[in-house]
Amino acid sequence: MTYRAPVRDQMFVLRDVLNIAQYADLPGFADASVELVEQVLTEGAKFCEEVLAPLNGIGDKQGCVWSPDHTVKTPDGFKAAYRAMVDGGWPAIGAEPEFGGQGLPAVVTLAYSEMSSAANMAFAMYPGLTHGCYSAILAGGSDEQKALYLPKLATGQWGGTMNLTEPHCGTDLGLLRTKAVPQADGSYRITGQKIWISGGEHDMAENIVHLVLARIEGAPAGVKGISLFIVPKHIPDAQGHPGARNSANCVGLEEKMGIHGNATCVMSYEDATGWLIGEENNGLKIMFVMMNEARLGVGLQGLAQGEAAYQGAVAFAKDRLQGRSLTGPKNADGPADPIIVHPDVRRMLMESKCILEGGRAFMLWTGMHGDLATKSPDADVRQKSHDYMGLMTPVLKGFFTDKGFKIASDSLQVHGGSGFTESYAASQYMRDVRITLIYEGTNGVQALDLVGRKLAASGGRAVMSFFAEIDAFIADHDEDETLKVFVEGLQTAKAQLQEATMWLMSNGLQNPDNAGAASSDYLHLFGLTGTAYMWALIAKAAAAKIAEGSSDPFYADKLITGLFFVERVLPDTGSHLAKLKTGSATMMALAADRF
Amino acid sequence: MTYRAPVRDQMFVLRDVLNIAQYADLPGFADASVELVEQVLTEGAKFCEEVLAPLNGIGDKQGCVWSPDHTVKTPDGFKAAYRAMVDGGWPAIGAEPEFGGQGLPAVVTLAYSEMSSAANMAFAMYPGLTHGCYSAILAGGSDEQKALYLPKLATGQWGGTMNLTEPHCGTDLGLLRTKAVPQADGSYRITGQKIWISGGEHDMAENIVHLVLARIEGAPAGVKGISLFIVPKHIPDAQGHPGARNSANCVGLEEKMGIHGNATCVMSYEDATGWLIGEENNGLKIMFVMMNEARLGVGLQGLAQGEAAYQGAVAFAKDRLQGRSLTGPKNADGPADPIIVHPDVRRMLMESKCILEGGRAFMLWTGMHGDLATKSPDADVRQKSHDYMGLMTPVLKGFFTDKGFKIASDSLQVHGGSGFTESYAASQYMRDVRITLIYEGTNGVQALDLVGRKLAASGGRAVMSFFAEIDAFIADHDEDETLKVFVEGLQTAKAQLQEATMWLMSNGLQNPDNAGAASSDYLHLFGLTGTAYMWALIAKAAAAKIAEGSSDPFYADKLITGLFFVERVLPDTGSHLAKLKTGSATMMALAADRF
C-alpha cells in the first residue's frame, strides 16, 4: 500500500470551493496562478509519494540512534531524502523571496504540508519545526539576525527547533528555570535542561538553530520574566558558515510510542552562547508566533495521518475477502466478498472520508484567511481574517487531531487482527498520530484557549463574524433544493453552537470552572459546525459542476459523502450541547483524594 | 505507580447491589458465603498487585522470544509467577470440584479475572485461554477426555489454546483449510497452519492442549464441515503424563502493537495426532462455548485495562504540578496546583470513573446471570438468565472494549507529553487494550451478532424481558426523590433503545443492510442504557446505606459519580438513535472503487 496524495481534492477546494483565482491581485498570489499551484502540488505529491512515503516504515522500525558523543543518527534513507528535499526547494516554497523563498501563498504551503505529513510525519517534522523557527526570527529578530539565519532556515540547509519544555514544566512555562547570563559582548550564556526537543540533534543539516526560552538573571518570576534566545549548534563565523561548536548538546533521546523517525531530544545547555531575540522578558510573545503556526500544523498532521491511515484501510477493505454481503454475494465467483461490502466496515470508511474531506476544506479555508490577514488591501478583510485565524487555530488543532486519531484507530479496526500486528502500517499511523493530541498544547489547553481567550477577544468579534457569515450563507441558499439538507444541518448546528456560546458567556463569567468544564464539548461542537459549513460550501461547488453538465462521479460522490456527514456525524452536536450545559458542579464535586 | 485492585467496589456490587447472599442455597454459592468471597478476592488482589503487576512493564519491554527449535521464552519472571499462580490455585477457583476445582460461582472468577487482567493482561491471557479450553472440553468432550485433560487444565498445570484463524480466514471460518485424516485407531492426523494463537507455545507449563478447528477429509464445504480436535503438544502417556512430542510447532511469533508478554504464535500442524471432540462437523458449536466465555472475558479485559490506566492517570494528576486552578490557587504554598484541579482533566477522570464503576456492576450482574442460568432451581429464572447471557455478551464485549480503549487513551492524555513516552505505563495500557476491540470477533462482528442473532432469538424474548425488568424498576422507584435523576435518565435511554429496536425490527427485515448499518450505534445505545440501569441500582444501594446513617464518603461518591454518568455520558444515546435511523442508503451509496 502506497500513499496517494489527494491533489485532485486539494485543487477542487482551492479552485472551486475557495476560488483562489479571485485573489490574483494580492502579493504572492499574483505569481501563483491556479495552474502554477496545481503544478507545484503535483510535483510535491511526487516527492512525498516517491521519496518520503517509502521511508515511513523504515523510520518507525529503526528509529533514531543516539551516541555518547552526542550525535544522533537518523534512520536509513532520511539523510538522502533530506538532501533531496532541500535541493527540490520544498521548505522554501512559502518563504519570503528576500530570504531565498518562493513567496507562494501560505495556503499552498499548507496543502503541500498535508502531503508530507501524511507520507512521513516523523520526517516532515524536521522541516516543520525549522519553518516555525524561521517564522519566529522573521517576527522578532533583528535585521542582522534575519540576514544571518533566515536564508539558511528557509531552504532547510540549517535545521531549527523550539525549546520550551523542562522536566518540571510543560504547559506552565512560568515555572521554567533555564537561565541566561548577559555577557559584555551582548551575547548571553545559557544554562539549563530542555526536554522533548523535536529534531534537537540529527545528521541531516550542517547546523541546527535552537530557539530557547530562558530567564535572564534577575528577571521577574513567572511568565513575565521569560526571554527568547537563538542558540546555534555551530556558531556562525564571519562568513555565516557553521563555526565553533556551541555547548548545546543532546544528552539522550526519549523512547516513544510513535514518530520513532524523529529525534526527540533531551538538550543540555551549559554556558552555551546565545543571542536575545526581540526585547528582554518578551520571549513568550515571539514564541507564540511560532506556536500558533505550529498548532495549525499539528491539526494538519492529525488530518494527514488520518488520510494515510484511511487509504490503508480502503486498500485492505477492497482486497480482503471475508464473509458475504448481507444482501447477497457481490463477488460470487470468489471464495468470499471483499469486506468493503459490509455496512459496518463502510460506516468506518465513510465517517473517515467525510471528516477528512470536510477537514481538508476547513484547513485550507483557514489557511486562505491566513493569507488574507496579511495580504488583503482591505483593512476590514484583514481584521476579519486575522480574527478567524485566532479563533480557528485551537478548533482545528483540537478537533482534527481528536478526529485524526479516531480515523487512525478505525482504520486499524478495518484491518481486524492484521491491524494489531506491525506487518501493516495501520499500527504506526495510530501510534504516530497520538502525539498530535498532546504537543504544542494538549487538546485540553486548546479548548481552554478557545473558551477563555479566543471567544472573548475583542468583545467576541470573531465568533460573531463567523455566525454572521453562516447566517448569510443560509439566507442566500435556503430555497436551494439541492442544498436543502446541508443548509438545514448547518442551521441546526449553528443554532446549537450559538446557544452554547450564550451559555458560556453567562455561566463562564460567573464561575470559570463552568468554562473549563464546557471547553472540550464546546470545541467539538465548534469543529462540527465549522465542518458542516465547509460541507455546505463543498456541496454548492459540486452541485454547480453537476448543473453545468459534468458527469464526473467526483462531484456526485461529494454530495453523498457530505450527506453522510450530516446524517451520521453532525448529530453529535446535540449531545455536546446537552453535556456542556450541565456545568461544572458534578465534575468538580469529588475531593481530589476520593479518586 | 502500582495497581490497586478494586476489591472494595467489587464487594459493594456483590454484597449490596446484587445481594449475592440471597443465592446461598444454590450449588456453588452454598459454600461461598459473602465473607469467603471477600477473603478470596482479598487474597487474589494481593497476588495480582504483588506478583503480576510488577511484571507488566517487563513483559512489554522484553516480549516473548522465539527460537528456531520452536521454543518460546517468556519474559523474565513470568515462569515463576505462573508457578505461583498454579500453586495458589487461582485458575481453579471456578472449576468443577470433580476436576480439582474449588467450584466457586462464576461471578467470583469474573471478579478475580478483572484484577489479573488489569495487573498484567498479557500474562492473564495464558490462564484465560486455558480456562476456555477447559470449558470447551467440559461442554463437548467424552468422559475419557474430561478425565484426562480437565484436572490438568483446571489448575493450569497444562496450558490450553484455541486455534481458529488461518492466514486467509479469520471472521469467515467457513473458508478454513486445515485438514483432518481419520486413522485406524480412532485418532486423526491434523495438517495446516493456524495464526494468532495466543499462548501457542511457551516455557511455563509442562504441556499445552491445542483445540484445533479442522475439516475432516470429505466433509462438506463451509461452516457445516468443521470439526474440533484436541491436539496436545505432548501426547499424554498411559499414566496421563506428557509423553511423545506431537508435530504441533510454533514456527514464529507476530510482532504486535501490544501484549508483548503474550506469545502470539504461528502454529504449524504436520500430520499431528489429534482426537475429535464431540461429533464430526459439529466443531463450531463447541468452539462457541469457548468463544462466548472468551467474549465476556474480552469485555472484562477492556474494563480492566481501563481501570489500570485510569489509576495511573489519577496518580499523575494528583502529583503533577502545573498551572493554577481557574478559581484560585489550591496549593498556594507550592509552585503550582496539581493538575487534578483543572476541569478538563477532571472531565476525563470522571468520565472514566463512571464508566468503570458502572461497567464493573454490569459485568458482575451479567456474570451473576451466568450462574443463575445453570444453577437456579427455577426454570423461568434459568431461561431468563440464559437469555440475558446471550443478549449481553456482544454488548459487554463491544461496548466496554470501545470504552476501555477510550479510557486508556484519555488516561494517556492526562499525562501530557509524558504519556507518549514509554517512561510511564500509559502507553502500554493503550497499546495492550487495543487488541480487545478486535479479537474473539471484532466489535463490528459483535454488533452484527447483537442485531442479527441475539435480538431476534426466540421472538425477541431476551430484549423484551430486559425492557420489562427496567420498566418494573422505574415503576417501583418513580416517586423516590433521591433516585429521580437516575430513574429519569434510565427512562429516556430505555425509550430510545426501544425506539431503535422497533426501527430495527421493521427496517432490518426489509433490508438487511439497514441492520448492519445500525448495528454499531445500536450496540452503544444498548451499552449506555444497560449502564444507566446499573447506575440506578448502584445509586439505590448507596442511598440505602446513607439512609441507614452511613457517613462513609464511598456512598456519597457513588451518587456523584452516577450523576456525572447521567449528565455527561448518557446524552450520547440521542445521537446514536438519530444516526441509526438514517438507515443504510447513504452508507452504501458509493461504488467500492470510488473510495
Side-chain angles (χ1 to χ4, degrees):
Chain A
M1 163 62 203
T2 43
Y3 168 68
R4 296 304 304 258
V7 176
R8 166 89 205 255
D9 198 39
Q10 292 180 330
M11 286 310 302
F12 165 69
V13 173
L14 293 173
R15 184 174 6 222
D16 301 314
V17 180
L18 301 179
N19 184 18
I20 59 166
Q22 69 184 301
Y23 305 114
D25 53 343
L26 300 191
F29 286 86
D31 306 317
S33 66
V34 173
E35 292 66 33
L36 177 75
V37 169
E38 183 156 22
Q39 208 179 320
V40 169
L41 293 182
T42 304
E43 282 303 308
K46 249 191 243 175
F47 175 70
C48 294
E49 291 172 358
E50 295 172 11
V51 179
L52 300 187
L55 298 176
N56 195 40
I58 294 168
D60 185 53
K61 286 189 176 54
Q62 292 188 356
C64 291
V65 181
W66 177 83
S67 293
D69 65 357
H70 302 146
T71 59
V72 170
K73 191 189 166 310
T74 52
D76 291 349
F78 271 44
K79 205 168 168 174
Y82 192 91
R83 170 56 42 206
M85 174 190 77
V86 171
D87 290 348
W90 293 111
I93 57 174
E96 279 59 26
E98 61 176 306
F99 299 118
Q102 260 187 271
L104 287 174
V107 70
V108 178
T109 299
L110 209 59
Y112 168 76
S113 296
E114 185 202 327
M115 303 190 283
S116 61
S117 293
N120 194 327
M121 174 169 151
F123 181 93
M125 286 171 67
Y126 293 104
L129 271 298
T130 301
H131 193 262
C133 181
Y134 171 94
S135 301
I137 296 178
L138 183 68
S142 66
D143 288 344
E144 205 190 333
Q145 288 169 339
K146 289 183 194 176
L148 180 57
Y149 292 103
L150 294 187
K152 302 290 174 68
L153 290 168
T155 58
Q157 194 178 343
W158 292 3
T161 70
M162 45 200 295
N163 290 240
L164 290 78
T165 307
E166 300 178 9
H168 63 288
C169 75
T171 300
D172 189 354
L173 290 169
L175 301 174
L176 75 77
R177 292 179 194 150
T178 296
K179 64 173 184 185
V181 181
Q183 304 297 304
D185 66 356
S187 71
Y188 288 78
R189 293 288 168 124
I190 313 287
T191 301
Q193 196 183 63
K194 295 285 182 178
I195 62 170
W196 303 342
I197 309 308
S198 302
E201 179 59 53
H202 57 79
D203 54 5
M204 302 186 294
E206 63 179 33
N207 201 5
I208 299 175
V209 180
H210 304 292
L211 293 191
V212 182
L213 286 182
R215 201 181 292 283
I216 296 173
E217 269 192 330
V223 292
K224 293 189 173 137
I226 298 176
S227 303
L228 183 64
F229 297 88
I230 300 181
V231 185
K233 175 180 167 186
H234 291 280
I235 296 171
D237 62 19
Q239 287 73 46
H241 298 132
R245 183 69 163 87
N246 207 346
S247 175
N249 289 310
C250 171
V251 295
L253 297 178
E254 299 288 343
E255 257 193 87
K256 312 182 299 290
M257 171 182 276
I259 51 166
H260 296 157
N262 195 274
T264 306
C265 300
V266 179
M267 294 299 298
S268 171
Y269 298 92
E270 291 174 51
D271 280 334
T273 303
W275 288 272
L276 183 68
I277 306 184
E279 293 167 23
E280 287 185 12
N281 303 332
N282 200 27
L284 276 190
K285 208 170 152 188
I286 305 167
M287 192 56 111
F288 260 91
V289 170
M290 191 164 174
M291 184 71 101
N292 273 323
E293 177 182 314
R295 286 179 172 177
L296 203 65
V298 173
L300 189 71
Q301 286 176 334
L303 274 176
Q305 286 288 297
E307 171 73 31
Y310 162 78
Q311 290 190 15
V314 166
F316 189 91
K318 289 179 185 174
D319 187 56
R320 175 77 170 169
L321 305 180
Q322 207 77 178
R324 289 292 183 191
S325 164
L326 296 169
T327 54
K330 300 290 179 284
N331 175 35
D333 296 339
D337 289 342
I339 62 171
I340 201 168
V341 305
H342 302 309
D344 198 62
V345 170
R346 286 265 179 164
R347 176 184 61 79
M348 294 186 275
L349 296 179
M350 285 296 293
E351 192 177 312
S352 301
K353 185 174 164 65
C354 74
I355 290 167
L356 291 166
E357 294 178 11
R360 179 171 299 126
F362 202 169
M363 195 62 72
L364 294 174
W365 177 88
T366 306
M368 190 72 230
H369 281 293
D371 283 309
L372 294 177
T374 52
K375 292 168 187 157
S376 175
D378 181 335
D380 288 347
V381 171
R382 284 202 306 275
Q383 183 185 78
K384 179 178 149 176
S385 290
H386 181 81
D387 283 352
Y388 277 4
M389 280 295 282
L391 182 67
M392 296 305 174
T393 295
V395 173
L396 295 176
K397 197 283 186 182
F399 185 66
F400 288 115
T401 58
D402 274 356
K403 290 298 185 190
F405 178 63
K406 182 175 189 329
I407 290 168
S409 178
D410 282 351
S411 296
L412 185 153
Q413 187 72 14
V414 168
H415 289 73
S418 300
F420 193 68
T421 70
E422 298 292 348
S423 309
Y424 287 81
S427 164
Q428 183 189 353
Y429 292 131
M430 196 187 101
R431 291 184 287 98
D432 282 0
V433 75
R434 188 63 186 77
I435 188 59
T436 65
L437 287 70
I438 298 172
Y439 65 11
E440 311 306 344
T442 64
N443 287 357
V445 168
Q446 304 303 322
L448 207 55
D449 178 47
L450 176 63
V451 302
R453 206 172 300 155
K454 300 302 174 58
L455 267 193
S458 311
R461 192 175 65 198
V463 72
M464 287 190 293
S465 154
F466 185 57
F467 287 155
E469 178 170 338
I470 292 179
D471 285 341
F473 181 90
I474 292 171
D476 286 351
H477 299 89
D478 69 347
E479 291 185 1
D480 185 329
E481 270 308 304
T482 320
L483 298 183
K484 193 170 189 302
V485 62
F486 295 96
V487 169
E488 284 173 1
L490 177 60
Q491 197 156 23
T492 304
K494 184 250 162 188
Q496 289 169 324
L497 180 61
Q498 199 155 17
E499 185 180 341
T501 309
M502 297 302 290
W503 186 92
L504 267 175
M505 291 192 173
S506 43
N507 295 278
L509 282 177
Q510 174 206 321
N511 175 1
D513 274 348
N514 278 329
S519 60
S520 176
D521 281 301
Y522 184 79
L523 184 149
H524 275 261
L525 177 48
F526 210 122
L528 288 165
T529 306
T531 309
Y533 179 43
M534 293 304 128
W535 269 113
L537 297 177
I538 293 169
K540 181 183 172 183
K545 288 288 180 184
I546 293 168
E548 286 166 17
S550 171
S551 60
D552 186 337
F554 181 89
Y555 303 112
D557 288 357
K558 285 289 180 195
L559 296 178
I560 291 168
T561 307
L563 179 58
F564 188 88
F565 176 82
V566 174
E567 288 180 350
R568 288 269 176 173
V569 177
L570 197 53
D572 285 340
T573 54
S575 56
H576 288 301
L577 178 62
K579 290 176 188 181
L580 74 83
K581 284 172 69 180
T582 64
S584 62
T586 313
M587 192 181 282
M588 306 306 285
L590 288 191
D593 64 2
R594 297 300 305 160
F595 279 87
Chain B
M1 163 63 203
T2 43
Y3 168 68
R4 297 304 306 256
V7 176
R8 166 89 205 255
D9 197 40
Q10 292 180 329
M11 286 310 302
F12 165 70
V13 173
L14 292 173
R15 184 174 6 220
D16 302 314
V17 180
L18 301 179
N19 185 18
I20 60 166
Q22 70 185 300
Y23 304 114
D25 54 342
L26 301 190
F29 287 86
D31 306 318
S33 66
V34 173
E35 291 68 31
L36 178 74
V37 170
E38 183 157 21
Q39 208 179 320
V40 169
L41 293 182
T42 304
E43 282 304 309
K46 248 191 244 177
F47 175 70
C48 294
E49 291 171 357
E50 295 170 11
V51 179
L52 299 187
L55 296 176
N56 195 41
I58 295 169
D60 185 53
K61 285 187 178 54
Q62 292 188 354
C64 291
V65 181
W66 178 83
S67 293
D69 65 356
H70 302 148
T71 59
V72 170
K73 189 188 168 311
T74 52
D76 291 348
F78 271 43
K79 205 167 169 174
Y82 192 92
R83 171 55 42 208
M85 175 192 76
V86 171
D87 290 348
W90 293 109
I93 59 175
E96 280 59 28
E98 62 176 307
F99 299 117
Q102 259 186 272
L104 286 173
V107 71
V108 178
T109 299
L110 210 58
Y112 168 76
S113 296
E114 184 202 327
M115 303 189 284
S116 60
S117 294
N120 194 327
M121 174 170 151
F123 181 94
M125 286 172 66
Y126 294 105
L129 272 297
T130 301
H131 192 263
C133 180
Y134 171 94
S135 301
I137 296 177
L138 183 69
S142 67
D143 288 345
E144 206 189 333
Q145 288 170 336
K146 289 183 194 175
L148 180 57
Y149 292 103
L150 293 187
K152 303 289 175 69
L153 290 169
T155 59
Q157 194 178 343
W158 292 3
T161 70
M162 45 198 298
N163 290 240
L164 289 79
T165 306
E166 300 178 7
H168 62 289
C169 77
T171 301
D172 189 354
L173 290 169
L175 301 174
L176 76 77
R177 293 179 192 151
T178 297
K179 64 172 184 184
V181 182
Q183 305 297 304
D185 65 356
S187 71
Y188 290 77
R189 292 288 168 125
I190 313 288
T191 300
Q193 196 183 63
K194 295 286 182 177
I195 62 170
W196 304 340
I197 309 309
S198 302
E201 180 59 52
H202 57 79
D203 53 5
M204 302 188 294
E206 64 180 32
N207 202 5
I208 297 174
V209 181
H210 303 292
L211 294 190
V212 181
L213 286 182
R215 202 180 292 283
I216 296 172
E217 269 192 328
V223 293
K224 293 187 173 138
I226 298 176
S227 302
L228 183 64
F229 298 88
I230 301 180
V231 185
K233 173 180 168 185
H234 291 280
I235 296 170
D237 63 19
Q239 287 75 46
H241 298 134
R245 184 68 164 87
N246 207 346
S247 175
N249 289 311
C250 171
V251 294
L253 297 178
E254 298 288 343
E255 257 195 87
K256 312 183 299 291
M257 171 183 276
I259 52 166
H260 297 156
N262 196 275
T264 306
C265 300
V266 180
M267 295 298 299
S268 171
Y269 298 92
E270 291 174 52
D271 280 336
T273 304
W275 288 272
L276 184 68
I277 305 184
E279 291 167 24
E280 287 185 12
N281 303 333
N282 201 26
L284 275 190
K285 207 169 152 188
I286 306 166
M287 193 55 111
F288 261 90
V289 170
M290 191 166 174
M291 185 70 100
N292 272 323
E293 179 182 312
R295 286 178 171 180
L296 204 63
V298 174
L300 190 69
Q301 287 176 332
L303 274 176
Q305 286 288 298
E307 171 73 31
Y310 162 77
Q311 291 190 13
V314 166
F316 189 90
K318 289 179 185 175
D319 188 54
R320 174 78 170 169
L321 305 180
Q322 206 77 177
R324 290 293 182 190
S325 162
L326 296 170
T327 55
K330 300 290 180 283
N331 175 36
D333 296 338
D337 289 342
I339 61 171
I340 200 168
V341 305
H342 302 309
D344 198 63
V345 170
R346 286 266 178 162
R347 176 185 62 79
M348 294 186 274
L349 296 179
M350 285 296 293
E351 192 177 312
S352 301
K353 184 173 165 66
C354 74
I355 291 167
L356 290 167
E357 294 177 12
R360 180 172 297 126
F362 201 169
M363 197 61 73
L364 293 174
W365 177 87
T366 306
M368 188 73 231
H369 281 292
D371 283 310
L372 295 177
T374 53
K375 292 168 187 158
S376 175
D378 181 335
D380 289 346
V381 171
R382 285 201 307 275
Q383 184 186 78
K384 177 177 150 176
S385 290
H386 182 81
D387 284 351
Y388 277 4
M389 281 294 282
L391 182 67
M392 296 306 173
T393 295
V395 174
L396 295 176
K397 197 283 187 183
F399 185 67
F400 288 115
T401 58
D402 274 355
K403 290 298 185 191
F405 178 62
K406 181 174 189 331
I407 290 168
S409 178
D410 281 351
S411 297
L412 185 153
Q413 187 72 15
V414 168
H415 289 72
S418 301
F420 193 69
T421 72
E422 298 293 348
S423 309
Y424 287 81
S427 163
Q428 185 189 352
Y429 292 131
M430 197 188 100
R431 290 184 288 99
D432 282 0
V433 75
R434 188 63 187 75
I435 189 59
T436 65
L437 286 70
I438 299 172
Y439 64 11
E440 310 307 344
T442 65
N443 287 358
V445 168
Q446 304 302 322
L448 206 57
D449 178 47
L450 176 63
V451 302
R453 207 172 298 155
K454 300 302 174 58
L455 268 193
S458 311
R461 193 175 65 199
V463 71
M464 286 190 291
S465 155
F466 185 57
F467 287 155
E469 179 170 336
I470 291 178
D471 285 340
F473 181 90
I474 292 170
D476 287 350
H477 299 89
D478 68 347
E479 293 185 358
D480 186 331
E481 270 307 305
T482 321
L483 297 184
K484 194 170 187 300
V485 62
F486 295 95
V487 169
E488 284 174 0
L490 177 60
Q491 197 156 23
T492 303
K494 185 250 163 189
Q496 288 169 325
L497 181 61
Q498 199 155 17
E499 186 180 340
T501 309
M502 298 302 291
W503 187 92
L504 268 175
M505 291 192 172
S506 44
N507 295 278
L509 282 177
Q510 173 207 320
N511 174 1
D513 274 347
N514 278 329
S519 61
S520 176
D521 282 301
Y522 185 79
L523 184 148
H524 275 261
L525 177 48
F526 210 123
L528 288 165
T529 306
T531 308
Y533 179 43
M534 293 304 128
W535 269 114
L537 297 177
I538 293 168
K540 182 183 171 181
K545 288 288 181 183
I546 293 167
E548 285 166 18
S550 172
S551 60
D552 187 337
F554 181 90
Y555 302 111
D557 288 357
K558 284 290 181 195
L559 297 179
I560 292 168
T561 308
L563 179 58
F564 188 87
F565 176 83
V566 174
E567 287 180 351
R568 289 269 177 174
V569 178
L570 197 53
D572 285 340
T573 54
S575 56
H576 289 301
L577 178 62
K579 290 176 188 181
L580 74 83
K581 285 172 69 181
T582 64
S584 63
T586 313
M587 193 181 283
M588 306 306 284
L590 288 191
D593 64 2
R594 297 298 306 159
F595 280 87

